[in-house]
Amino acid sequence: MANLPGAEDSTVVFRDQSIVSEKLQKFIQSGISNFQIVADFDYTMTSWAPSGTCFSVIRMYSGFGEEFLSKTEAIKNKHLPIHLDFSLPEEVRKESDYQWFTKIMTCFVDAKFPKTLIPVMLEASQCRLRAGVVEFLKLAHKHNIPVLIFSGGIKDVIDALLDREGCYFDNISIISNRLKYDDKEIMVGVEEPFITASTKLEVAREDIYFKNVIRDNVLLLGDMLSDLKMASCVKYTDMLSVAFCNHDKDKEQYRENFDMLLMGNPGFERVTELLRQIVGEQPNRVEL
């Protein structure tokens, strides 16, 4: 039986340790040729504090002026509480997410920024990868494990961040919102279908990735309950789901749905320990 990283760590919470250990053992026995990784991006691969999302990289860029900043902040303040309120009906949250997305995109179009400004905006932002993400991605690349980043953020920003950190490897695929540019490379819109946290399942049903990559075992990484939908269109036998639980108030609800919770604002060390066991790069052990 495989032993679990963080089994005696109070910041690591399991739904059922024995079941998680059994899944991990199955992954090890099945081998890496039968294994894939599906991960959210904002607040999963990026840090909760200092905070920054793909959208905030552009939304909070001071070069656009005070009027732009005030307008986009007001839009966020209206829709974010709805986005985080899981007690609301799903359709209410889905419609609010859509309105939030389209309003913000209209502001971005009005800013008329060039594609070349994205790395500049990224550098000025607080958007950072969690500690250990680069090592995790290097390990997956070393063993040629498919990694899908499935995000309701902005692919152009994800591309720029991974490029900056030197970890945009050829085993990584990204499904996210793609900005559109005119012949002068000025941002003029976003390609459809729009991807929000609420529409990942609908988008996944149509994306060719899920038809081409078929592996029985899936490690799913997210920070919201809706991230569990990312694997709904993956043909798999077993899934080990890990949540970066950024809000203590969500702990019990997340515990009921995810196999493993990482509390607070941790790095990727525990997830990398899981991956090292799966690829056979470290002996099983109880304490890490």
Side-chain angles (χ1 to χ4, degrees):
M1 187 67 68
N3 291 303
L4 301 178
E8 297 183 6
D9 186 338
S10 62
T11 66
V12 180
V13 179
F14 297 95
R15 177 165 50 178
D16 186 315
Q17 285 194 29
S18 63
I19 291 176
V20 174
S21 186
E22 287 173 8
K23 287 183 179 182
L24 183 55
Q25 186 63 36
K26 287 180 182 178
F27 287 12
I28 294 168
Q29 292 174 342
S30 296
I32 57 177
S33 63
N34 215 18
F35 175 70
Q36 63 176 304
I37 299 163
V38 179
D40 175 52
F41 192 73
D42 286 332
Y43 296 145
T44 297
M45 300 187 81
T46 61
S47 176
W48 173 249
S51 64
T53 66
C54 293
F55 278 88
S56 71
V57 166
I58 302 174
R59 180 179 62 79
M60 298 179 69
Y61 182 57
S62 60
F64 292 148
E66 191 59 40
E67 183 178 350
F68 174 92
L69 295 173
S70 297
K71 186 173 183 178
T72 55
E73 182 72 8
I75 294 169
K76 184 203 77 170
N77 290 341
K78 177 179 179 180
H79 292 282
L80 181 59
I82 299 172
H83 177 74
L84 296 176
D85 189 349
F86 296 110
S87 68
L88 293 172
E90 184 175 355
E91 285 304 312
V92 172
R93 294 177 63 247
K94 183 176 179 180
E95 176 60 24
S96 178
D97 282 352
Y98 177 79
Q99 294 296 328
W100 186 3
F101 183 93
T102 54
K103 290 173 185 176
I104 287 291
M105 279 298 170
T106 297
C107 293
F108 290 178
V109 171
D110 291 343
K112 296 181 172 63
F113 64 84
K115 186 176 183 178
T116 54
L117 190 61
I118 289 179
V120 177
M121 292 188 285
L122 178 61
E123 197 62 32
S125 76
Q126 290 189 313
C127 187
R128 302 285 185 271
L129 294 177
R130 286 185 190 266
V133 167
V134 174
E135 290 73 18
F136 176 82
L137 293 177
K138 284 181 177 178
L139 183 61
H141 178 248
K142 176 181 177 181
H143 293 278
N144 198 30
I145 296 168
V147 176
L148 172 65
I149 297 174
F150 194 179
S151 171
I154 300 172
K155 185 177 184 297
D156 309 62
V157 175
I158 298 173
D159 290 349
L161 183 49
L162 296 182
D163 279 336
R164 187 183 74 182
E165 300 301 325
C167 59
Y168 199 164
F169 303 117
D170 56 11
N171 63 314
I172 297 175
S173 301
I174 300 174
I175 301 175
S176 191
N177 294 292
R178 297 171 180 260
L179 301 182
K180 294 194 297 186
Y181 303 91
D182 64 15
D183 56 3
K184 295 181 180 179
E185 293 206 323
I186 300 299
M187 189 267 187
V188 294
V190 60
E191 294 181 10
E192 295 185 6
F194 304 153
I195 305 172
T196 68
S198 305
T199 63
K200 284 185 173 180
L201 178 57
E202 290 89 334
V203 172
R205 286 177 178 146
E206 302 301 324
D207 198 278
I208 194 170
Y209 177 92
F210 295 97
K211 298 177 177 65
N212 290 341
V213 179
I214 301 174
R215 298 193 174 198
D216 286 345
N217 300 319
V218 178
L219 174 63
L220 183 141
L221 309 174
D223 74 297
M224 297 189 68
L225 293 172
S226 56
D227 289 330
L228 291 166
K229 296 179 180 179
M230 294 189 296
S232 296
C233 293
V234 177
K235 296 179 181 178
Y236 67 90
T237 302
D238 284 297
M239 179 179 74
L240 178 58
S241 57
V242 180
F244 289 83
C245 191
N246 298 308
H247 305 277
D248 285 342
K249 66 181 178 64
D250 298 327
K251 178 178 177 180
E252 290 310 313
Q253 191 173 16
Y254 277 43
R255 187 175 186 174
E256 292 172 3
N257 291 277
F258 285 91
D259 293 313
M260 180 175 174
L261 309 185
L262 303 177
M263 304 301 297
N265 186 37
F268 252 59
E269 292 82 6
R270 296 301 188 193
V271 182
T272 302
E273 289 164 13
L274 286 173
L275 185 56
R276 288 197 184 282
Q277 286 204 46
I278 293 166
V279 303
E281 285 205 2
Q282 70 177 22
N284 296 348
R285 51 184 178 170
V286 175
E287 271 194 87
L288 293 159

